[in-house]
Amino acid sequence: MDTLESSYGAVSIRLIRSRDARILQHELLTNRSWLVPWEATNPDGAVSLDMRGAVRRLLQQYRDGAGVPFVMEHDGEIAGQLNVWGIARGSLSSATIGYWVSERFAGLGITPTSVALATDICFTKLGLHRMEICIRPENTPSLRVVEKLGFRYEGYRPRYIHINGAWRDHYAFALTREDVPRGVLHRWTTGGVPSDAARVPDSAESA
């Protein structure tokens, strides 16, 4: 299970482990004000934070082939979490990426590096064809992630995901294997990212 891991500089990603639950729960609890505005919520009502149970479910999804739960690390210290979820095989062969990073690690390039590493794993080791990231229009730091990595803007999704207590609009961005024949990380670190790939058209901004 620990073969899906990758690193670049001080940043690394690896599969989540049961023993990570305590650290992850501590980071979630101490970063509430930082994370709550962007955190997925249950439209049927609040649920208690049980990271041990959440990790068990994530690992079961991994065993079932439905997702890949990573932790993001900086110099070996857990900085956040990145989930590849909604894996579809066959003619679709795609998945979606979601993530969160602790405030004390913000600005260190952890999220774009981790997204690049995870996308490359999905394309090369998992054989997926398309990776998607959906971002709230107000989430400027996440919009910078897709801009840096050159994820292509693909559309506006009204009331798409339940976030912070309400159904929120999202922009959708994606990459396919053909976009990055040498990998997302390689294209980014060698300056090959198209300057306007993630540009959101004015029509979407006013929707």
Side-chain angles (χ1 to χ4, degrees), residues 14-32 35 49-52 54-55 58 69-72 78-83 100 102:
R14 60 167 174 80
L15 282 169
I16 201 169
R17 302 166 185 155
S18 297
R19 63 178 177 268
D20 296 327
R22 180 182 58 80
I23 297 173
L24 289 169
Q25 179 144 337
H26 173 77
E27 293 297 327
L28 287 169
L29 289 174
T30 56
N31 282 267
R32 297 314 296 152
L35 296 173
L49 178 61
D50 173 19
M51 203 62 207
R52 291 187 185 277
V55 170
L58 288 169
F70 292 102
V71 291
M72 303 186 290
I78 291 178
Q81 193 179 350
L82 183 153
N83 289 324
W100 61 265
S102 296

PDB file of all heavy atoms in Angstrom, residues 14-32 35 49-52 54-55 58 69-72 78-83 100 102:
ATOM      1  N   ARG A  14       2.320  10.696   0.221  1.00  0.00           N
ATOM      2  CA  ARG A  14       2.285   9.248   0.418  1.00  0.00           C
ATOM      3  C   ARG A  14       0.883   8.850   0.829  1.00  0.00           C
ATOM      4  O   ARG A  14       0.069   9.702   1.231  1.00  0.00           O
ATOM      5  CB  ARG A  14       3.283   8.821   1.496  1.00  0.00           C
ATOM      6  CG  ARG A  14       3.017   9.440   2.854  1.00  0.00           C
ATOM      7  CD  ARG A  14       3.796   8.771   3.956  1.00  0.00           C
ATOM      8  NE  ARG A  14       3.655   9.465   5.237  1.00  0.00           N
ATOM      9  CZ  ARG A  14       2.605   9.341   6.038  1.00  0.00           C
ATOM     10  NH1 ARG A  14       1.577   8.565   5.688  1.00  0.00           N
ATOM     11  NH2 ARG A  14       2.544  10.005   7.185  1.00  0.00           N
ATOM     12  N   LEU A  15       0.587   7.578   0.741  1.00  0.00           N
ATOM     13  CA  LEU A  15      -0.724   7.105   1.158  1.00  0.00           C
ATOM     14  C   LEU A  15      -0.931   7.340   2.646  1.00  0.00           C
ATOM     15  O   LEU A  15       0.000   7.212   3.449  1.00  0.00           O
ATOM     16  CB  LEU A  15      -0.873   5.619   0.843  1.00  0.00           C
ATOM     17  CG  LEU A  15      -1.179   5.286  -0.612  1.00  0.00           C
ATOM     18  CD1 LEU A  15      -1.045   3.793  -0.843  1.00  0.00           C
ATOM     19  CD2 LEU A  15      -2.580   5.747  -0.978  1.00  0.00           C
ATOM     20  N   ILE A  16      -2.131   7.692   3.000  1.00  0.00           N
ATOM     21  CA  ILE A  16      -2.475   7.901   4.399  1.00  0.00           C
ATOM     22  C   ILE A  16      -2.351   6.590   5.169  1.00  0.00           C
ATOM     23  O   ILE A  16      -2.533   5.507   4.599  1.00  0.00           O
ATOM     24  CB  ILE A  16      -3.900   8.478   4.504  1.00  0.00           C
ATOM     25  CG1 ILE A  16      -4.129   9.177   5.834  1.00  0.00           C
ATOM     26  CG2 ILE A  16      -4.957   7.410   4.260  1.00  0.00           C
ATOM     27  CD1 ILE A  16      -5.419   9.992   5.868  1.00  0.00           C
ATOM     28  N   ARG A  17      -2.011   6.678   6.447  1.00  0.00           N
ATOM     29  CA  ARG A  17      -1.901   5.504   7.322  1.00  0.00           C
ATOM     30  C   ARG A  17      -2.804   5.712   8.527  1.00  0.00           C
ATOM     31  O   ARG A  17      -3.099   6.844   8.904  1.00  0.00           O
ATOM     32  CB  ARG A  17      -0.454   5.326   7.793  1.00  0.00           C
ATOM     33  CG  ARG A  17       0.555   5.161   6.662  1.00  0.00           C
ATOM     34  CD  ARG A  17       1.980   5.324   7.175  1.00  0.00           C
ATOM     35  NE  ARG A  17       2.949   5.276   6.087  1.00  0.00           N
ATOM     36  CZ  ARG A  17       4.148   5.832   6.134  1.00  0.00           C
ATOM     37  NH1 ARG A  17       4.523   6.508   7.217  1.00  0.00           N
ATOM     38  NH2 ARG A  17       4.969   5.737   5.116  1.00  0.00           N
ATOM     39  N   SER A  18      -3.201   4.618   9.116  1.00  0.00           N
ATOM     40  CA  SER A  18      -4.098   4.706  10.282  1.00  0.00           C
ATOM     41  C   SER A  18      -3.502   5.578  11.369  1.00  0.00           C
ATOM     42  O   SER A  18      -4.211   6.353  12.021  1.00  0.00           O
ATOM     43  CB  SER A  18      -4.392   3.297  10.816  1.00  0.00           C
ATOM     44  OG  SER A  18      -5.071   2.533   9.854  1.00  0.00           O
ATOM     45  N   ARG A  19      -2.209   5.486  11.575  1.00  0.00           N
ATOM     46  CA  ARG A  19      -1.579   6.248  12.660  1.00  0.00           C
ATOM     47  C   ARG A  19      -1.483   7.747  12.365  1.00  0.00           C
ATOM     48  O   ARG A  19      -1.102   8.524  13.243  1.00  0.00           O
ATOM     49  CB  ARG A  19      -0.195   5.677  12.973  1.00  0.00           C
ATOM     50  CG  ARG A  19       0.815   5.752  11.853  1.00  0.00           C
ATOM     51  CD  ARG A  19       2.151   5.185  12.339  1.00  0.00           C
ATOM     52  NE  ARG A  19       3.163   5.149  11.299  1.00  0.00           N
ATOM     53  CZ  ARG A  19       3.384   4.099  10.512  1.00  0.00           C
ATOM     54  NH1 ARG A  19       2.628   3.006  10.639  1.00  0.00           N
ATOM     55  NH2 ARG A  19       4.345   4.110   9.601  1.00  0.00           N
ATOM     56  N   ASP A  20      -1.823   8.170  11.136  1.00  0.00           N
ATOM     57  CA  ASP A  20      -1.838   9.598  10.815  1.00  0.00           C
ATOM     58  C   ASP A  20      -3.058  10.303  11.397  1.00  0.00           C
ATOM     59  O   ASP A  20      -3.101  11.537  11.434  1.00  0.00           O
ATOM     60  CB  ASP A  20      -1.850   9.804   9.295  1.00  0.00           C
ATOM     61  CG  ASP A  20      -0.593   9.295   8.607  1.00  0.00           C
ATOM     62  OD1 ASP A  20       0.489   9.369   9.234  1.00  0.00           O
ATOM     63  OD2 ASP A  20      -0.699   8.835   7.458  1.00  0.00           O
ATOM     64  N   ALA A  21      -4.055   9.532  11.822  1.00  0.00           N
ATOM     65  CA  ALA A  21      -5.335  10.125  12.231  1.00  0.00           C
ATOM     66  C   ALA A  21      -5.168  11.153  13.345  1.00  0.00           C
ATOM     67  O   ALA A  21      -5.794  12.223  13.317  1.00  0.00           O
ATOM     68  CB  ALA A  21      -6.306   9.029  12.656  1.00  0.00           C
ATOM     69  N   ARG A  22      -4.339  10.858  14.334  1.00  0.00           N
ATOM     70  CA  ARG A  22      -4.187  11.761  15.473  1.00  0.00           C
ATOM     71  C   ARG A  22      -3.614  13.106  15.023  1.00  0.00           C
ATOM     72  O   ARG A  22      -4.111  14.178  15.419  1.00  0.00           O
ATOM     73  CB  ARG A  22      -3.286  11.134  16.524  1.00  0.00           C
ATOM     74  CG  ARG A  22      -3.069  12.003  17.757  1.00  0.00           C
ATOM     75  CD  ARG A  22      -2.128  11.336  18.754  1.00  0.00           C
ATOM     76  NE  ARG A  22      -0.829  11.042  18.175  1.00  0.00           N
ATOM     77  CZ  ARG A  22       0.143  11.954  18.032  1.00  0.00           C
ATOM     78  NH1 ARG A  22      -0.038  13.205  18.446  1.00  0.00           N
ATOM     79  NH2 ARG A  22       1.303  11.604  17.509  1.00  0.00           N
ATOM     80  N   ILE A  23      -2.573  13.076  14.199  1.00  0.00           N
ATOM     81  CA  ILE A  23      -1.957  14.322  13.733  1.00  0.00           C
ATOM     82  C   ILE A  23      -2.916  15.095  12.847  1.00  0.00           C
ATOM     83  O   ILE A  23      -3.065  16.321  12.969  1.00  0.00           O
ATOM     84  CB  ILE A  23      -0.650  14.020  12.979  1.00  0.00           C
ATOM     85  CG1 ILE A  23       0.370  13.364  13.916  1.00  0.00           C
ATOM     86  CG2 ILE A  23      -0.073  15.294  12.373  1.00  0.00           C
ATOM     87  CD1 ILE A  23       1.624  12.888  13.229  1.00  0.00           C
ATOM     88  N   LEU A  24      -3.606  14.397  11.954  1.00  0.00           N
ATOM     89  CA  LEU A  24      -4.542  15.068  11.062  1.00  0.00           C
ATOM     90  C   LEU A  24      -5.689  15.713  11.833  1.00  0.00           C
ATOM     91  O   LEU A  24      -6.105  16.836  11.537  1.00  0.00           O
ATOM     92  CB  LEU A  24      -5.084  14.075  10.032  1.00  0.00           C
ATOM     93  CG  LEU A  24      -4.083  13.623   8.965  1.00  0.00           C
ATOM     94  CD1 LEU A  24      -4.638  12.457   8.168  1.00  0.00           C
ATOM     95  CD2 LEU A  24      -3.718  14.781   8.030  1.00  0.00           C
ATOM     96  N   GLN A  25      -6.190  15.009  12.838  1.00  0.00           N
ATOM     97  CA  GLN A  25      -7.278  15.584  13.636  1.00  0.00           C
ATOM     98  C   GLN A  25      -6.798  16.827  14.374  1.00  0.00           C
ATOM     99  O   GLN A  25      -7.521  17.829  14.445  1.00  0.00           O
ATOM    100  CB  GLN A  25      -7.825  14.553  14.626  1.00  0.00           C
ATOM    101  CG  GLN A  25      -8.950  15.104  15.489  1.00  0.00           C
ATOM    102  CD  GLN A  25     -10.029  14.099  15.793  1.00  0.00           C
ATOM    103  OE1 GLN A  25     -10.216  13.133  15.071  1.00  0.00           O
ATOM    104  NE2 GLN A  25     -10.750  14.306  16.874  1.00  0.00           N
ATOM    105  N   HIS A  26      -5.576  16.778  14.912  1.00  0.00           N
ATOM    106  CA  HIS A  26      -5.018  17.951  15.585  1.00  0.00           C
ATOM    107  C   HIS A  26      -4.911  19.131  14.620  1.00  0.00           C
ATOM    108  O   HIS A  26      -5.280  20.271  14.975  1.00  0.00           O
ATOM    109  CB  HIS A  26      -3.634  17.620  16.155  1.00  0.00           C
ATOM    110  CG  HIS A  26      -2.926  18.814  16.723  1.00  0.00           C
ATOM    111  ND1 HIS A  26      -3.244  19.354  17.952  1.00  0.00           N
ATOM    112  CD2 HIS A  26      -1.913  19.580  16.214  1.00  0.00           C
ATOM    113  CE1 HIS A  26      -2.466  20.397  18.185  1.00  0.00           C
ATOM    114  NE2 HIS A  26      -1.652  20.564  17.147  1.00  0.00           N
ATOM    115  N   GLU A  27      -4.433  18.887  13.409  1.00  0.00           N
ATOM    116  CA  GLU A  27      -4.296  19.969  12.428  1.00  0.00           C
ATOM    117  C   GLU A  27      -5.656  20.525  12.040  1.00  0.00           C
ATOM    118  O   GLU A  27      -5.825  21.745  11.904  1.00  0.00           O
ATOM    119  CB  GLU A  27      -3.546  19.469  11.187  1.00  0.00           C
ATOM    120  CG  GLU A  27      -2.094  19.114  11.420  1.00  0.00           C
ATOM    121  CD  GLU A  27      -1.261  20.308  11.860  1.00  0.00           C
ATOM    122  OE1 GLU A  27      -1.551  21.436  11.415  1.00  0.00           O
ATOM    123  OE2 GLU A  27      -0.322  20.128  12.655  1.00  0.00           O
ATOM    124  N   LEU A  28      -6.636  19.655  11.859  1.00  0.00           N
ATOM    125  CA  LEU A  28      -7.981  20.125  11.506  1.00  0.00           C
ATOM    126  C   LEU A  28      -8.589  20.982  12.618  1.00  0.00           C
ATOM    127  O   LEU A  28      -9.212  22.016  12.357  1.00  0.00           O
ATOM    128  CB  LEU A  28      -8.883  18.932  11.198  1.00  0.00           C
ATOM    129  CG  LEU A  28      -8.623  18.217   9.866  1.00  0.00           C
ATOM    130  CD1 LEU A  28      -9.398  16.909   9.808  1.00  0.00           C
ATOM    131  CD2 LEU A  28      -9.015  19.111   8.694  1.00  0.00           C
ATOM    132  N   LEU A  29      -8.396  20.549  13.858  1.00  0.00           N
ATOM    133  CA  LEU A  29      -8.985  21.279  14.987  1.00  0.00           C
ATOM    134  C   LEU A  29      -8.297  22.622  15.222  1.00  0.00           C
ATOM    135  O   LEU A  29      -8.950  23.609  15.584  1.00  0.00           O
ATOM    136  CB  LEU A  29      -8.918  20.429  16.254  1.00  0.00           C
ATOM    137  CG  LEU A  29      -9.857  19.220  16.291  1.00  0.00           C
ATOM    138  CD1 LEU A  29      -9.584  18.372  17.521  1.00  0.00           C
ATOM    139  CD2 LEU A  29     -11.321  19.665  16.245  1.00  0.00           C
ATOM    140  N   THR A  30      -6.990  22.681  15.024  1.00  0.00           N
ATOM    141  CA  THR A  30      -6.258  23.927  15.271  1.00  0.00           C
ATOM    142  C   THR A  30      -6.288  24.877  14.075  1.00  0.00           C
ATOM    143  O   THR A  30      -5.785  25.999  14.170  1.00  0.00           O
ATOM    144  CB  THR A  30      -4.792  23.634  15.647  1.00  0.00           C
ATOM    145  OG1 THR A  30      -4.177  22.846  14.621  1.00  0.00           O
ATOM    146  CG2 THR A  30      -4.713  22.891  16.969  1.00  0.00           C
ATOM    147  N   ASN A  31      -6.878  24.433  12.968  1.00  0.00           N
ATOM    148  CA  ASN A  31      -6.960  25.267  11.767  1.00  0.00           C
ATOM    149  C   ASN A  31      -8.407  25.538  11.364  1.00  0.00           C
ATOM    150  O   ASN A  31      -8.695  25.771  10.195  1.00  0.00           O
ATOM    151  CB  ASN A  31      -6.231  24.590  10.602  1.00  0.00           C
ATOM    152  CG  ASN A  31      -4.734  24.738  10.672  1.00  0.00           C
ATOM    153  OD1 ASN A  31      -4.149  25.652  10.100  1.00  0.00           O
ATOM    154  ND2 ASN A  31      -4.091  23.819  11.371  1.00  0.00           N
ATOM    155  N   ARG A  32      -9.327  25.501  12.348  1.00  0.00           N
ATOM    156  CA  ARG A  32     -10.741  25.617  12.005  1.00  0.00           C
ATOM    157  C   ARG A  32     -11.067  26.900  11.237  1.00  0.00           C
ATOM    158  O   ARG A  32     -11.722  26.879  10.202  1.00  0.00           O
ATOM    159  CB  ARG A  32     -11.620  25.540  13.271  1.00  0.00           C
ATOM    160  CG  ARG A  32     -11.556  24.248  14.037  1.00  0.00           C
ATOM    161  CD  ARG A  32     -11.657  23.020  13.147  1.00  0.00           C
ATOM    162  NE  ARG A  32     -12.951  22.929  12.472  1.00  0.00           N
ATOM    163  CZ  ARG A  32     -13.124  22.338  11.304  1.00  0.00           C
ATOM    164  NH1 ARG A  32     -12.106  21.812  10.660  1.00  0.00           N
ATOM    165  NH2 ARG A  32     -14.314  22.273  10.754  1.00  0.00           N
ATOM    166  N   LEU A  35      -9.764  26.696   7.661  1.00  0.00           N
ATOM    167  CA  LEU A  35     -10.293  25.672   6.758  1.00  0.00           C
ATOM    168  C   LEU A  35     -11.802  25.738   6.536  1.00  0.00           C
ATOM    169  O   LEU A  35     -12.296  25.361   5.474  1.00  0.00           O
ATOM    170  CB  LEU A  35      -9.926  24.277   7.276  1.00  0.00           C
ATOM    171  CG  LEU A  35      -8.430  23.949   7.327  1.00  0.00           C
ATOM    172  CD1 LEU A  35      -8.208  22.610   8.020  1.00  0.00           C
ATOM    173  CD2 LEU A  35      -7.837  23.927   5.920  1.00  0.00           C
ATOM    174  N   LEU A  49     -16.313  15.336  14.201  1.00  0.00           N
ATOM    175  CA  LEU A  49     -15.034  15.080  13.573  1.00  0.00           C
ATOM    176  C   LEU A  49     -14.414  13.822  14.171  1.00  0.00           C
ATOM    177  O   LEU A  49     -14.022  13.808  15.334  1.00  0.00           O
ATOM    178  CB  LEU A  49     -14.093  16.280  13.764  1.00  0.00           C
ATOM    179  CG  LEU A  49     -12.679  16.121  13.190  1.00  0.00           C
ATOM    180  CD1 LEU A  49     -12.741  15.898  11.692  1.00  0.00           C
ATOM    181  CD2 LEU A  49     -11.847  17.362  13.507  1.00  0.00           C
ATOM    182  N   ASP A  50     -14.373  12.755  13.385  1.00  0.00           N
ATOM    183  CA  ASP A  50     -13.796  11.478  13.802  1.00  0.00           C
ATOM    184  C   ASP A  50     -12.776  11.073  12.753  1.00  0.00           C
ATOM    185  O   ASP A  50     -13.088  10.385  11.788  1.00  0.00           O
ATOM    186  CB  ASP A  50     -14.897  10.420  13.941  1.00  0.00           C
ATOM    187  CG  ASP A  50     -14.333   9.021  14.205  1.00  0.00           C
ATOM    188  OD1 ASP A  50     -13.164   8.924  14.624  1.00  0.00           O
ATOM    189  OD2 ASP A  50     -15.061   8.041  13.940  1.00  0.00           O
ATOM    190  N   MET A  51     -11.541  11.532  12.932  1.00  0.00           N
ATOM    191  CA  MET A  51     -10.530  11.303  11.915  1.00  0.00           C
ATOM    192  C   MET A  51     -10.149   9.833  11.803  1.00  0.00           C
ATOM    193  O   MET A  51      -9.834   9.358  10.718  1.00  0.00           O
ATOM    194  CB  MET A  51      -9.285  12.160  12.206  1.00  0.00           C
ATOM    195  CG  MET A  51      -8.438  12.406  10.968  1.00  0.00           C
ATOM    196  SD  MET A  51      -9.362  13.316   9.697  1.00  0.00           S
ATOM    197  CE  MET A  51      -8.521  12.759   8.213  1.00  0.00           C
ATOM    198  N   ARG A  52     -10.187   9.109  12.900  1.00  0.00           N
ATOM    199  CA  ARG A  52      -9.873   7.678  12.820  1.00  0.00           C
ATOM    200  C   ARG A  52     -10.870   6.963  11.917  1.00  0.00           C
ATOM    201  O   ARG A  52     -10.497   6.154  11.061  1.00  0.00           O
ATOM    202  CB  ARG A  52      -9.864   7.057  14.213  1.00  0.00           C
ATOM    203  CG  ARG A  52      -8.713   7.518  15.090  1.00  0.00           C
ATOM    204  CD  ARG A  52      -8.653   6.754  16.409  1.00  0.00           C
ATOM    205  NE  ARG A  52      -7.618   7.293  17.266  1.00  0.00           N
ATOM    206  CZ  ARG A  52      -6.331   6.973  17.173  1.00  0.00           C
ATOM    207  NH1 ARG A  52      -5.925   6.127  16.254  1.00  0.00           N
ATOM    208  NH2 ARG A  52      -5.454   7.513  18.009  1.00  0.00           N
ATOM    209  N   ALA A  54     -12.694   8.426   9.625  1.00  0.00           N
ATOM    210  CA  ALA A  54     -12.520   8.954   8.274  1.00  0.00           C
ATOM    211  C   ALA A  54     -11.364   8.266   7.564  1.00  0.00           C
ATOM    212  O   ALA A  54     -11.463   7.920   6.375  1.00  0.00           O
ATOM    213  CB  ALA A  54     -12.285  10.461   8.328  1.00  0.00           C
ATOM    214  N   VAL A  55     -10.262   8.043   8.267  1.00  0.00           N
ATOM    215  CA  VAL A  55      -9.118   7.361   7.658  1.00  0.00           C
ATOM    216  C   VAL A  55      -9.477   5.930   7.286  1.00  0.00           C
ATOM    217  O   VAL A  55      -9.109   5.440   6.212  1.00  0.00           O
ATOM    218  CB  VAL A  55      -7.899   7.410   8.601  1.00  0.00           C
ATOM    219  CG1 VAL A  55      -6.790   6.493   8.092  1.00  0.00           C
ATOM    220  CG2 VAL A  55      -7.378   8.838   8.732  1.00  0.00           C
ATOM    221  N   LEU A  58     -11.453   6.119   4.127  1.00  0.00           N
ATOM    222  CA  LEU A  58     -10.598   6.467   2.989  1.00  0.00           C
ATOM    223  C   LEU A  58      -9.771   5.269   2.536  1.00  0.00           C
ATOM    224  O   LEU A  58      -9.614   5.029   1.330  1.00  0.00           O
ATOM    225  CB  LEU A  58      -9.679   7.629   3.372  1.00  0.00           C
ATOM    226  CG  LEU A  58     -10.337   9.000   3.517  1.00  0.00           C
ATOM    227  CD1 LEU A  58      -9.372   9.992   4.147  1.00  0.00           C
ATOM    228  CD2 LEU A  58     -10.828   9.517   2.162  1.00  0.00           C
ATOM    229  N   PRO A  69      -6.159   8.219  -0.989  1.00  0.00           N
ATOM    230  CA  PRO A  69      -5.969   9.262   0.023  1.00  0.00           C
ATOM    231  C   PRO A  69      -4.484   9.465   0.353  1.00  0.00           C
ATOM    232  O   PRO A  69      -3.807   8.556   0.825  1.00  0.00           O
ATOM    233  CB  PRO A  69      -6.721   8.707   1.232  1.00  0.00           C
ATOM    234  CG  PRO A  69      -6.599   7.211   1.092  1.00  0.00           C
ATOM    235  CD  PRO A  69      -6.478   6.910  -0.370  1.00  0.00           C
ATOM    236  N   PHE A  70      -4.002  10.651   0.093  1.00  0.00           N
ATOM    237  CA  PHE A  70      -2.607  10.990   0.383  1.00  0.00           C
ATOM    238  C   PHE A  70      -2.527  11.938   1.576  1.00  0.00           C
ATOM    239  O   PHE A  70      -3.461  12.700   1.843  1.00  0.00           O
ATOM    240  CB  PHE A  70      -1.968  11.708  -0.809  1.00  0.00           C
ATOM    241  CG  PHE A  70      -1.772  10.878  -2.038  1.00  0.00           C
ATOM    242  CD1 PHE A  70      -2.638  11.000  -3.115  1.00  0.00           C
ATOM    243  CD2 PHE A  70      -0.705  10.002  -2.152  1.00  0.00           C
ATOM    244  CE1 PHE A  70      -2.458  10.256  -4.268  1.00  0.00           C
ATOM    245  CE2 PHE A  70      -0.511   9.255  -3.296  1.00  0.00           C
ATOM    246  CZ  PHE A  70      -1.384   9.382  -4.365  1.00  0.00           C
ATOM    247  N   VAL A  71      -1.386  11.917   2.264  1.00  0.00           N
ATOM    248  CA  VAL A  71      -1.018  13.032   3.126  1.00  0.00           C
ATOM    249  C   VAL A  71       0.090  13.807   2.417  1.00  0.00           C
ATOM    250  O   VAL A  71       0.902  13.234   1.685  1.00  0.00           O
ATOM    251  CB  VAL A  71      -0.538  12.585   4.531  1.00  0.00           C
ATOM    252  CG1 VAL A  71      -1.684  12.016   5.334  1.00  0.00           C
ATOM    253  CG2 VAL A  71       0.610  11.601   4.445  1.00  0.00           C
ATOM    254  N   MET A  72       0.072  15.118   2.626  1.00  0.00           N
ATOM    255  CA  MET A  72       1.122  15.983   2.095  1.00  0.00           C
ATOM    256  C   MET A  72       2.098  16.281   3.232  1.00  0.00           C
ATOM    257  O   MET A  72       1.678  16.599   4.345  1.00  0.00           O
ATOM    258  CB  MET A  72       0.514  17.282   1.559  1.00  0.00           C
ATOM    259  CG  MET A  72      -0.544  17.079   0.488  1.00  0.00           C
ATOM    260  SD  MET A  72      -1.133  18.629  -0.264  1.00  0.00           S
ATOM    261  CE  MET A  72      -2.065  19.359   1.088  1.00  0.00           C
ATOM    262  N   ILE A  78       3.721  16.227   8.499  1.00  0.00           N
ATOM    263  CA  ILE A  78       2.421  16.273   7.843  1.00  0.00           C
ATOM    264  C   ILE A  78       1.916  17.709   7.772  1.00  0.00           C
ATOM    265  O   ILE A  78       1.813  18.402   8.792  1.00  0.00           O
ATOM    266  CB  ILE A  78       1.403  15.374   8.570  1.00  0.00           C
ATOM    267  CG1 ILE A  78       1.777  13.902   8.381  1.00  0.00           C
ATOM    268  CG2 ILE A  78      -0.014  15.630   8.045  1.00  0.00           C
ATOM    269  CD1 ILE A  78       0.866  12.930   9.108  1.00  0.00           C
ATOM    270  N   ALA A  79       1.606  18.152   6.542  1.00  0.00           N
ATOM    271  CA  ALA A  79       1.159  19.525   6.318  1.00  0.00           C
ATOM    272  C   ALA A  79      -0.291  19.608   5.882  1.00  0.00           C
ATOM    273  O   ALA A  79      -0.884  20.694   5.901  1.00  0.00           O
ATOM    274  CB  ALA A  79       2.039  20.189   5.261  1.00  0.00           C
ATOM    275  N   GLY A  80      -0.868  18.488   5.492  1.00  0.00           N
ATOM    276  CA  GLY A  80      -2.245  18.502   5.014  1.00  0.00           C
ATOM    277  C   GLY A  80      -2.595  17.196   4.344  1.00  0.00           C
ATOM    278  O   GLY A  80      -1.881  16.196   4.475  1.00  0.00           O
ATOM    279  N   GLN A  81      -3.679  17.223   3.603  1.00  0.00           N
ATOM    280  CA  GLN A  81      -4.206  16.010   3.009  1.00  0.00           C
ATOM    281  C   GLN A  81      -4.642  16.290   1.575  1.00  0.00           C
ATOM    282  O   GLN A  81      -5.115  17.385   1.261  1.00  0.00           O
ATOM    283  CB  GLN A  81      -5.398  15.524   3.835  1.00  0.00           C
ATOM    284  CG  GLN A  81      -5.857  14.117   3.516  1.00  0.00           C
ATOM    285  CD  GLN A  81      -7.031  13.709   4.391  1.00  0.00           C
ATOM    286  OE1 GLN A  81      -7.368  14.405   5.359  1.00  0.00           O
ATOM    287  NE2 GLN A  81      -7.654  12.606   4.048  1.00  0.00           N
ATOM    288  N   LEU A  82      -4.456  15.318   0.707  1.00  0.00           N
ATOM    289  CA  LEU A  82      -4.900  15.397  -0.678  1.00  0.00           C
ATOM    290  C   LEU A  82      -5.608  14.100  -1.020  1.00  0.00           C
ATOM    291  O   LEU A  82      -5.036  13.018  -0.853  1.00  0.00           O
ATOM    292  CB  LEU A  82      -3.710  15.628  -1.615  1.00  0.00           C
ATOM    293  CG  LEU A  82      -4.017  15.809  -3.108  1.00  0.00           C
ATOM    294  CD1 LEU A  82      -2.926  16.651  -3.777  1.00  0.00           C
ATOM    295  CD2 LEU A  82      -4.162  14.483  -3.852  1.00  0.00           C
ATOM    296  N   ASN A  83      -6.848  14.216  -1.472  1.00  0.00           N
ATOM    297  CA  ASN A  83      -7.623  13.026  -1.835  1.00  0.00           C
ATOM    298  C   ASN A  83      -7.904  13.000  -3.322  1.00  0.00           C
ATOM    299  O   ASN A  83      -8.371  13.988  -3.894  1.00  0.00           O
ATOM    300  CB  ASN A  83      -8.955  12.996  -1.080  1.00  0.00           C
ATOM    301  CG  ASN A  83      -8.772  12.704   0.396  1.00  0.00           C
ATOM    302  OD1 ASN A  83      -7.902  11.935   0.779  1.00  0.00           O
ATOM    303  ND2 ASN A  83      -9.587  13.340   1.227  1.00  0.00           N
ATOM    304  N   TRP A 100      -6.486  19.960   1.441  1.00  0.00           N
ATOM    305  CA  TRP A 100      -6.402  21.050   2.419  1.00  0.00           C
ATOM    306  C   TRP A 100      -4.987  21.074   2.988  1.00  0.00           C
ATOM    307  O   TRP A 100      -4.312  20.044   3.053  1.00  0.00           O
ATOM    308  CB  TRP A 100      -7.434  20.906   3.545  1.00  0.00           C
ATOM    309  CG  TRP A 100      -7.328  19.659   4.398  1.00  0.00           C
ATOM    310  CD1 TRP A 100      -8.013  18.495   4.223  1.00  0.00           C
ATOM    311  CD2 TRP A 100      -6.490  19.468   5.542  1.00  0.00           C
ATOM    312  NE1 TRP A 100      -7.667  17.581   5.187  1.00  0.00           N
ATOM    313  CE2 TRP A 100      -6.728  18.155   6.017  1.00  0.00           C
ATOM    314  CE3 TRP A 100      -5.571  20.264   6.230  1.00  0.00           C
ATOM    315  CZ2 TRP A 100      -6.076  17.624   7.139  1.00  0.00           C
ATOM    316  CZ3 TRP A 100      -4.915  19.746   7.342  1.00  0.00           C
ATOM    317  CH2 TRP A 100      -5.178  18.435   7.780  1.00  0.00           C
ATOM    318  N   SER A 102      -2.535  22.977   6.216  1.00  0.00           N
ATOM    319  CA  SER A 102      -2.542  23.764   7.441  1.00  0.00           C
ATOM    320  C   SER A 102      -2.016  25.178   7.177  1.00  0.00           C
ATOM    321  O   SER A 102      -1.123  25.377   6.348  1.00  0.00           O
ATOM    322  CB  SER A 102      -1.672  23.099   8.507  1.00  0.00           C
ATOM    323  OG  SER A 102      -2.202  21.849   8.862  1.00  0.00           O
TER     324      SER A 102
END
